[in-house]
Amino acid sequence: MTIQQSELMLKKLEMNTTDLRSLLDLQDKIIAGFKPDEQHFILHRTIDDFSNALKSNHMYVFGLYDGERLVSQSILSLPNDDDTREIPEYAAEYKNSELAVFKAVLVDPEYRGRGLMKQMLRIREEVAAQHGRKIAITQIAADNPASWVNAIQYGMRITKVGYDPEDNAKVIYLQKHLDNKKIQPLEEKKAYRLSLGSDVHKNVPALFNKMMSLSESGMIGTTWDKQNNQIIWYPQSNTHHHARLPKFNISTSSKAAHQI
Ligand SMILES: CC(C)(COP(=O)(O)OP(=O)(O)OC[C@H]1O[C@@H](n2cnc3c(N)ncnc32)[C@H](O)[C@@H]1OP(=O)(O)O)[C@@H](O)C(=O)NCCC(=O)NCCS
């Protein structure tokens, strides 16, 4: 499958040595560009991990190409009910077959800021909706605001903030209903504006605590006000007030890869 997207070409990658090599090379380049405290932003996939994704009957590996060059990659998982549930601590009220899981979006540093991540969100949403999936979910490292601010801009909503049960890393969970009718009405009067501040990276620990308490009190992080650099939170509709998060031990220096 190939679809033309501006000058870049979108392709569903296949199980062959060329595609495998391209995936590994792009991942290596991105990992090499991470600072030590950014290494956990993505899962460091092995050749077997990529092979399994390419061979899987419920995963799609997408690539954006500039000519022959792979400049962005992402994975969409459309699990079957009998598959092992990914991020089982989230959206547990849904059956696997209702879900689409967005994983592993990577953009070549030379191609950032041109909307490639948003293109990857869009293509995965389209494919998920074509397969009748009701809701897209993802988990993003709390200290990777470039990724979660972007996901919010795209229309995903923060509905849970907490610690990854596997490694206690601070994470943000976002979801988007693929059926637009399910979007909950927003109560403007009850909106809460969370300023990200001039140095969002420095502010992440305080922002994480604030976002966790907002989500525990039933608020949903819904919109990014770019001009004022604020995330706007709204109360979720009274029918879906979610339970308090289980408390996990806080690891102060978890370097483990937790990103899906
Ligand atoms: C996160 C990543 C995928 C974004 O890709 P991208 O193609 O540059 O993103 P887009 O061009 O679609 O969007 C850029 C937006 O990201 C946000 N953004 C980018 N850098 C940011 C930063 N340092 N801080 C906060 N927000 C930032 C902005 O909201 C920007 O919005 P704008 O379009 O209004 O300017 C890319 O930086 C990347 O590959 N990072 C390394 C791997 C990674 O962290 N993947 C995500 C795992 S969840």
Side-chain angles (χ1 to χ4, degrees):
M1 174 171 100
T2 54
I3 303 166
Q4 189 77 41
Q5 300 231 342
S6 57
E7 333 84 77
L8 300 180
M9 185 73 80
L10 177 76
K11 187 180 146 199
K12 178 182 174 298
L13 278 72
E14 306 293 342
M15 182 55 213
N16 59 52
T17 40
T18 312
D19 286 1
L20 254 184
R21 191 69 261 157
S22 304
L23 288 167
L24 284 164
D25 286 349
L26 178 56
Q27 180 185 254
D28 286 351
K29 180 174 181 180
I30 282 162
I31 289 172
F34 280 144
K35 297 182 196 122
D37 62 353
E38 295 174 343
Q39 291 291 328
H40 63 288
F41 281 7
I42 58 166
L43 189 66
H44 297 198
R45 288 185 162 76
T46 63
I47 191 162
D48 286 346
D49 294 333
F50 279 122
S51 302
N52 289 338
L54 290 166
K55 283 190 279 196
S56 162
N57 63 4
H58 70 265
M59 284 197 217
Y60 293 75
V61 183
F62 293 109
L64 285 169
Y65 284 82
D66 187 355
E68 297 291 302
R69 176 176 172 188
L70 179 69
V71 296
S72 178
Q73 65 190 59
S74 69
I75 299 178
L76 168 68
S77 176
L78 301 178
N80 300 311
D81 285 333
D82 54 357
D83 290 322
T84 305
R85 176 79 160 71
E86 291 167 289
I87 35 176
E89 71 277 16
Y90 186 48
E93 66 274 30
Y94 291 95
K95 290 197 292 186
N96 278 2
S97 53
E98 295 177 306
L99 290 172
V101 187
F102 291 169
K103 314 200 292 184
V105 62
L106 308 183
V107 176
D108 187 317
E110 291 166 44
Y111 287 76
R112 290 192 185 153
R114 298 190 199 176
L116 270 53
M117 175 175 167
K118 291 190 200 75
Q119 281 192 36
M120 283 302 199
L121 287 163
R122 190 178 331 119
I123 182 66
R124 288 179 293 175
E125 177 177 337
E126 283 169 13
V127 173
Q130 281 161 16
H131 284 79
R133 300 292 162 140
K134 292 188 176 157
I135 183 164
I137 61 170
T138 197
Q139 183 211 58
I140 300 178
D143 53 359
N144 191 358
S147 186
W148 51 260
V149 167
N150 208 12
I152 291 171
Q153 273 186 295
Y154 180 73
M156 300 198 79
R157 294 175 164 196
I158 301 175
T159 64
K160 176 173 168 174
V161 177
Y163 296 93
D164 185 317
E166 274 189 26
D167 60 7
N168 278 339
K170 294 173 178 177
V171 287
I172 293 183
Y173 298 90
L174 300 103
Q175 59 176 251
K176 181 173 181 180
H177 284 278
L178 304 180
D179 169 1
N180 287 333
K181 281 178 279 183
K182 286 275 170 63
I183 289 179
Q184 295 160 352
L186 303 171
E187 296 181 63
E188 195 61 50
K189 276 188 292 188
K190 295 185 183 163
Y192 179 90
R193 290 176 162 267
L194 178 68
S195 291
L196 299 186
S198 54
D199 186 345
V200 63
H201 291 279
K202 200 172 127 222
N203 295 340
V204 157
L207 288 171
F208 174 79
N209 289 337
K210 184 67 199 173
M211 290 196 288
M212 194 159 63
S213 71
L214 282 166
S215 95
E216 283 182 349
S217 67
M219 303 285 277
I220 298 181
T222 304
T223 325
W224 184 46
D225 175 345
K226 185 171 182 171
Q227 202 178 355
N228 295 305
N229 196 21
Q230 294 170 332
I231 303 291
I232 311 178
W233 294 69
Y234 294 93
Q236 66 180 319
S237 77
N238 39 23
T239 46
H240 281 88
H241 196 83
H242 58 190
R244 287 200 150 258
L245 296 171
K247 295 280 180 232
F248 299 105
N249 293 330
I250 303 173
S251 158
T252 49
S253 62
S254 174
K255 294 275 189 293
H258 64 276
Q259 178 55 42
I260 52 172

